[in-house]
Amino acid sequence: MNIPGEQQEPGADASAGAPDRASLNTRGPVHPYWFVFVIRASGMPPWMFGVLCGSTLAAVFLWLYGFFGASAERGNITDLGTALFFASVNAYALSAGAYVIRRTQTAFDQLLPLLDLSPAKAADFRTRLAGGGKLELLLIALGAVTCGLLHNQILGSPATTIYAQDAFNPFAFGTFFGTTLTWFVIMHVASAFVSNARMFARLGRRHTRIDLLNPHELVPFGTVAWLPALGLVGTQMVYPLLSLAGELNLTVMLPGFVFTSVALFFLFLHPTWGLHTRLVSAKQAALEEVNASIRDWQAADAGRDDKFSRISTLQPLLSHRDYLQSVPEWPFSLSTVGRWTLYLIIPPVTWVLAALIEIVVDGMV
């Protein structure tokens, strides 16, 4: 007796047939993302690179805001928070972004036994998880710089104030440079996450074999869904640094916060949506098949006095139907959902704690 839900042979599902070149986006050479290239070239683990990068950027921004030397205009507490924000948000995004991409490649390696991909296409897919085409990377860079310039204009610190009245203004340059750099880094990291999410969506929609008897093999898709939260939530946690002086400037904080928040929900759902729809269809088809077998058993035994003597042939069908009804329709484990939810909760909790600490400090002073 065939058990509904057994592993499908390659090509058995039209939606998981032979991979086509367009669906995998395998045209053109791959150029590694610049932040992945820099960290790999440094030979350091991502966390060590992040510490070194954050320390260097902190020193640069503190110098620009007048905290070093006998500057006539020394930075205040607001400038201190801004300098630390620019340093920490960029260092974290760079190191976490490279780490997430490496973990994404590991998740892809775990899925290889389930994929209808030739070794050459699988190697190309893995390489593209850490890079993109020349035109794609150029458009991301132009978009990032444009967003940075627009945000600077909104903040009232355009490039024309950096060198005015024949004097270099390090404060204006620090804000201009920090804002533009942050948009440049965040957009590259987030764009890499989005590109990978779209690649995994196509992978789940067309090139992954569904085995309802072993749904745990699809858990790497869930890993890919929550990993970007690790890379973006950390950037949201440092926003309280911009309000060290007790002034909550939404013009400064909201654009980046909204951008990363929208990206988080998209990156969690999009990589798994195509696979989810296929799981639902496969599960429904298997349930219809086992229900048909149960109806056949009923029809064959209708009116027979020895019906209960053949109950042993019915019990496996009933048990398998119960199992199929319990098969998850998303490639998530409970820990995956819990971890992603925790990551969403951490930033607002951090903001609340920062506000409480500020209230306490103000009361003591």
Side-chain angles (χ1 to χ4, degrees):
M1 178 180 66
N2 287 332
I3 305 265
E6 287 183 324
Q7 183 170 355
Q8 302 174 20
E9 295 298 324
D13 186 352
S15 64
D20 57 279
R21 185 175 180 86
S23 67
L24 287 178
N25 190 25
T26 57
R27 291 174 290 184
V30 182
H31 300 273
Y33 296 118
W34 63 269
F35 59 94
V36 173
F37 174 80
V38 169
I39 294 180
R40 286 178 178 173
S42 71
M44 294 183 287
W47 69 267
M48 185 179 296
F49 179 87
V51 171
L52 178 62
C53 179
S55 302
T56 303
L57 287 175
V60 170
F61 284 108
L62 289 173
W63 172 73
L64 287 172
Y65 287 130
F67 285 93
F68 298 147
S71 175
E73 295 184 9
R74 302 188 66 85
N76 52 34
I77 188 66
T78 300
D79 296 326
L80 174 63
T82 302
L84 295 178
F85 168 79
F86 284 143
S88 57
V89 73
N90 286 288
Y92 180 87
L94 289 173
S95 56
Y99 173 77
V100 168
I101 287 178
R102 187 176 67 185
R103 286 286 306 274
T104 302
Q105 289 178 319
T106 300
F108 173 74
D109 294 338
Q110 295 170 344
L111 288 170
L112 277 176
L114 304 178
L115 304 180
D116 291 329
L117 296 178
S118 67
K121 287 184 182 288
D124 182 78
F125 188 99
R126 192 180 193 279
T127 301
R128 289 182 181 275
L129 291 174
K134 183 181 296 185
L135 178 60
E136 173 191 353
L137 299 181
L138 178 61
L139 291 176
I140 294 172
L142 291 176
V145 172
T146 300
C147 289
L149 294 176
L150 290 175
H151 198 179
N152 272 295
Q153 190 68 37
I154 293 173
L155 295 175
S157 55
T160 54
T161 63
I162 295 176
Y163 197 85
Q165 298 178 353
D166 296 329
F168 175 70
N169 186 339
F171 285 83
F173 178 77
T175 301
F176 175 83
F177 172 66
T179 302
T180 306
L181 174 66
T182 301
W183 274 103
F184 192 82
V185 169
I186 296 296
M187 281 201 67
H188 273 88
V189 172
S191 297
F193 293 167
V194 169
S195 176
N196 289 348
R198 296 177 62 192
M199 291 176 68
F200 269 88
R202 291 192 294 270
L203 202 65
R205 194 165 53 241
R206 304 186 183 189
H207 306 283
T208 304
R209 294 188 293 274
I210 300 295
D211 183 4
L212 295 179
L213 300 182
N214 295 284
H216 63 278
E217 294 178 342
L218 300 174
V219 168
F221 274 96
T223 301
V224 171
W226 71 258
L227 273 174
L230 181 64
L232 295 179
V233 166
T235 63
Q236 296 180 336
M237 291 174 59
V238 299
Y239 275 93
L241 291 172
L242 294 174
S243 58
L244 282 185
E247 299 176 0
L248 187 63
N249 192 336
L250 296 180
T251 303
V252 176
M253 302 168 65
L254 276 183
F257 186 81
V258 171
F259 175 79
T260 53
S261 297
V262 172
L264 280 174
F265 284 92
F266 172 83
L267 294 169
F268 185 71
L269 293 175
H270 188 69
T272 57
W273 185 260
L275 184 62
H276 161 69
T277 58
R278 290 186 59 212
L279 279 170
V280 171
S281 298
K283 180 177 176 178
Q284 186 62 36
L287 282 171
E288 291 176 358
E289 185 177 347
V290 75
N291 284 331
S293 298
I294 292 173
R295 288 192 294 270
D296 291 343
W297 182 93
Q298 290 176 309
D301 283 5
R304 292 181 54 172
D305 295 335
D306 62 341
K307 178 168 61 175
F308 290 103
S309 66
R310 299 185 63 246
I311 198 71
S312 60
T313 61
L314 174 64
Q315 188 59 43
L317 293 173
L318 296 176
S319 298
H320 191 62
R321 182 171 64 180
D322 291 341
Y323 166 77
L324 288 174
Q325 289 173 338
S326 68
V327 170
E329 297 177 354
W330 293 90
F332 300 140
S333 63
L334 185 60
S335 62
T336 296
V337 178
R339 188 176 301 180
W340 185 78
T341 304
L342 178 63
Y343 287 161
L344 290 184
I345 294 174
I346 288 176
V349 170
T350 304
W351 288 33
V352 171
L353 289 177
L356 292 176
I357 292 173
E358 183 180 330
I359 292 173
V360 172
V361 172
D362 288 344
M364 293 176 61
V365 173

